[in-house]
Amino acid sequence: MSLLPSPSKEPLWREEFSVFTSDERYVTRRQFAKFLTLTSLGMFVGNLWVLAKAHFAKTPSFPSVEVGEVGEIPVRGIKLFTYPTPKDHCILIRAGEDQYMAYSQKCTHLSCAVYFSAKEDRLECPCHQGFFSVRDGSVLQGPPLRPLPQITLERNGARLLAVGLKGS
Amino acid sequence: MVNLERYQQRRGLVAIDGAMALIFILLIVQIWLLGATLETFLAGHAGAVLPAAICSGLVFLGCLALDLFVTRVDQESRKP
């Protein structure tokens, strides 16, 4: 018994426009099944599109930009800067005596600007109470699912340089 | 004769309804799969994209097989 339908001798129009009322139920069901299958094809094409995007995505190159000097901001203090473009706002945090971290200021939930709460020792989004860890930008609480993109910092003498972006 | 015809039609309809329910479930799985793949890709984990695409293709093939089954049962049930 084959899964494939046997080739019909009836013309297509006769199959689709039934003479008998009882046959109409089949036609609507068959058309609905076709519609669902086409939607499934659409989802598959969507997945292939994501695959193509992942395969052909270029590795972005980031500029090296000076964001401040060592000792410029106090311990548990912050400095705002933009990286890699003037439209991308970031926050530099001095978490310890010799510990500097920098993150994108854009919340991964709905892009509100996050701020550093020194009292709670975390980054907070005021819009929907999303909290991020200062150590690695991971989500501590709230609706955001992804961690904050982290700016890679390098020290060149007394200068702090932003050289890359992780998790963007 | 009429009773036998009606019985065959009813049986065909039950088979078609069952197949359609399965297609519907597979479609929900596929919608979830696309959402999860996109979320994972945007989070920077591209490793899960290929297995997700393969799974999505298999689910689509399942839907296609069920659709062909529906068409075949439809033809069988309506044979004079």
Side-chain angles (χ1 to χ4, degrees):
Chain A
M1 191 170 165
S2 166
L3 184 74
L4 292 170
S6 56
S8 176
K9 287 168 192 166
E10 293 284 337
L12 186 66
W13 67 267
R14 187 167 275 179
E15 281 192 13
E16 295 296 326
F17 298 97
S18 313
V19 177
F20 303 105
T21 316
S22 58
D23 284 354
E24 279 180 7
R25 288 179 297 180
Y26 285 97
V27 177
T28 50
R29 278 165 170 77
R30 200 175 59 210
Q31 283 174 344
F32 189 56
K34 268 203 181 91
F35 168 75
L36 290 179
T37 308
L38 280 174
T39 314
S40 171
L41 176 64
M43 297 292 139
F44 177 46
V45 170
N47 261 305
L48 288 180
W49 177 75
V50 177
L51 181 65
K53 284 275 282 183
H55 189 71
F56 294 111
K58 292 175 188 164
T59 312
S61 58
F62 294 102
S64 180
V65 176
E66 184 178 342
V67 295
E69 292 196 354
V70 177
E72 184 187 336
I73 52 175
V75 175
R76 307 185 77 72
I78 63 144
K79 184 187 177 183
L80 301 179
F81 65 100
T82 57
Y83 186 81
T85 70
K87 287 181 179 173
D88 298 312
H89 295 274
C90 303
I91 183 167
L92 173 70
I93 304 159
R94 188 175 180 187
E97 195 57 46
D98 199 27
Q99 253 188 321
Y100 291 90
M101 273 96 173
Y103 299 98
S104 164
Q105 246 199 316
K106 209 186 270 185
C107 177
T108 51
H109 178 223
L110 289 176
S111 300
C112 293
V114 297
Y115 66 90
F116 175 61
S117 166
K119 188 183 159 198
E120 302 290 342
D121 195 32
R122 65 190 178 196
L123 288 149
E124 297 185 359
C125 175
C127 294
H128 303 100
Q129 304 302 305
F131 301 151
F132 301 89
S133 164
V134 176
R135 308 286 153 224
D136 53 4
S138 58
V139 180
L140 297 175
Q141 178 195 301
L145 297 173
R146 296 192 298 275
L148 279 179
Q150 189 172 13
I151 316 293
T152 311
L153 295 173
E154 269 182 15
R155 268 179 78 159
N156 186 359
R159 297 189 309 158
L160 280 174
L161 302 171
V163 293
L165 190 59
K166 283 188 284 184
S168 59
Chain B
M1 188 67 191
V2 174
N3 276 343
L4 180 67
E5 204 173 287
R6 274 190 188 161
Y7 169 72
Q8 278 180 341
Q9 281 197 342
R10 205 165 49 231
R11 208 175 57 165
L13 273 178
V14 169
I16 287 173
D17 283 346
M20 275 176 52
L22 279 175
I23 293 177
F24 196 72
I25 290 166
L26 287 178
L27 191 60
I28 288 170
V29 170
Q30 225 173 10
I31 290 169
W32 171 82
L33 193 62
L34 181 60
T37 309
L38 208 54
E39 182 67 39
T40 312
F41 173 62
L42 290 176
H45 306 290
V49 173
L50 180 65
I54 292 168
C55 284
S56 181
L58 290 175
V59 172
F60 166 65
L61 285 178
C63 284
L64 191 67
L66 285 165
D67 182 47
L68 291 172
F69 172 75
V70 166
T71 311
R72 192 182 61 77
V73 172
D74 172 45
Q75 277 184 0
E76 293 280 325
S77 307
R78 286 200 288 160
K79 264 182 192 170

